[in-house]
């Protein structure tokens, strides 16, 4: 995201969520206990019932639970303005996938990894900058494949930029190439989380290689695809369903699911738009 907008956003979010988000650390143990006691049931992902369940935390953040018991967090900015109010963080996480180094995608990665002992997957450069224990940092690059219980995770390309700023007062550092992730789930769907990206022709190669059935695509525009470009991406990917993300968090991200539906109709696309409610687990 651009530096000017980032400054505005950080100021706004700090006013709502406090300095905990900026430092990527959770609230104090006492505050966490109080939040857990008050958290609504809708904020907690439901137990696995034999289907793959996806919970959207707003922006590009998701928690995926597989039939085989894997819990995978993606771009866990769990304090974003669209996150479910009062919801507690996942208690157990096996893997954290980070698409690139921008603050609105790294989010609370380090704190969540410390809390759950999850392994963190991302570009080699970004994972190296996060300062994780060696056993937890799984730095890799496009073409890498990893297995987490019944999920096979493939690292694929994205068209964007990536820098990481551990200290708000320090300069940003190069954080490697941006990534997308394909998650093949045994006896379940194949999910594609595009990260931040524009539409690119190699999405057709992703379709050919991995045959994703559900695509999580940014639609906000400005920093990523807008609905019209996302409709092109859907056709390239040949997916059955598309989950819109990275929209509405800030004024600049003006794309909407309704606009995506309209663009898909114009393009004669057949994919179903599945708009998720933050904090509500949805079976796929």
């Amino acid at each position: 995201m651009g530096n000017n907008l980032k400054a505005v956003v950080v100021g706004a979010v700090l006013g709502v969520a406090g300095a905990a988000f900026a430092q990527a650390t959770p609230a104090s143990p006492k505050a966490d206990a109080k939040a857990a006691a008050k958290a609504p049931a809708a904020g907690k992902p439901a137990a696995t019932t034999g289907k793959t369940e996806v919970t959207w935390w707003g922006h590009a953040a998701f928690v995926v639970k597989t039939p085989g018991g894997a819990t995978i967090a993606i771009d866990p900015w769990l304090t974003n303005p669209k996150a479910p109010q009062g919801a507690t963080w996942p208690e157990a996480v096996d893997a954290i996938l980070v698409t690139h180094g921008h603050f609105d995608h790294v989010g609370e990665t380090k704190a969540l990894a410390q809390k759950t002992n999850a392994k963190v997957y991302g570009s080699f450069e970004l994972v190296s900058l996060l300062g994780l224990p060696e056993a937890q940092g799984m730095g890799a690059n496009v073409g890498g494949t990893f297995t987490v219980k019944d999920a096979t995770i493939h690292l694929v390309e994205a068209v964007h930029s990536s820098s990481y700023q551990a200290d708000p007062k320090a300069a940003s550092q190069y954080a490697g190439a941006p990534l997308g992730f394909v998650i093949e789930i045994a006896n379940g769907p194949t999910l594609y989380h595009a990260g931040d990206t524009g539409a690119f022709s190699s999405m057709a190669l992703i379709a050919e290689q991995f045959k994703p059935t559900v695509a999580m695509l940014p639609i906000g525009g400005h920093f990523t695809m807008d609905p019209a470009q996302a409709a092109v991406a859907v056709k390239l990917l040949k997916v059955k369903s598309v989950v819109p993300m990275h929209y509405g968090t800030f004024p600049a991200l003006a794309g909407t699911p309704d606009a995506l539906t309209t663009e898909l109709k114009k393009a004669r696309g057949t994919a179903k738009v599945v708009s998720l409610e933050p904090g509500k687990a949805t079976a796929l």
Side-chain angles (χ1 to χ4, degrees), residues 80-179:
N80 74 79
K82 295 294 184 180
Q85 294 298 308
T88 56
W89 291 9
E91 290 296 326
V93 177
D94 298 291
I96 302 171
L97 315 183
V98 188
T99 61
H100 63 290
H102 295 160
F103 79 98
D104 56 323
H105 294 262
V106 174
E108 284 72 49
T109 291
K110 188 171 183 179
L112 186 62
Q114 290 173 334
K115 174 183 171 68
T116 64
N117 202 37
K119 292 184 177 180
V120 177
Y121 299 82
S123 73
F124 177 82
E125 292 84 355
L126 174 58
V127 172
S128 298
L129 291 171
L130 291 176
L132 297 164
E134 185 175 351
Q136 285 183 269
M138 306 299 291
N141 217 315
V142 173
T145 296
F146 302 89
T147 300
V148 178
K149 294 184 178 178
D150 60 334
T152 302
I153 301 167
H154 305 281
L155 281 60
V156 297
E157 70 178 298
V159 179
H160 195 59
S161 60
S162 181
S163 59
Y164 177 67
Q165 193 174 19
D167 182 347
K169 297 181 180 179
S172 295
Q173 295 176 274
Y174 172 67
L179 299 171

Side-chain angles (χ1 to χ4, degrees), residues 207-232:
E208 181 181 341
Q209 284 187 295
F210 305 115
K211 298 177 175 56
T213 54
V214 180
M216 303 166 178
L217 298 182
I219 65 166
H222 195 93
F223 297 104
T224 69
M225 295 182 283
D226 61 12
Q229 295 174 55
V232 173

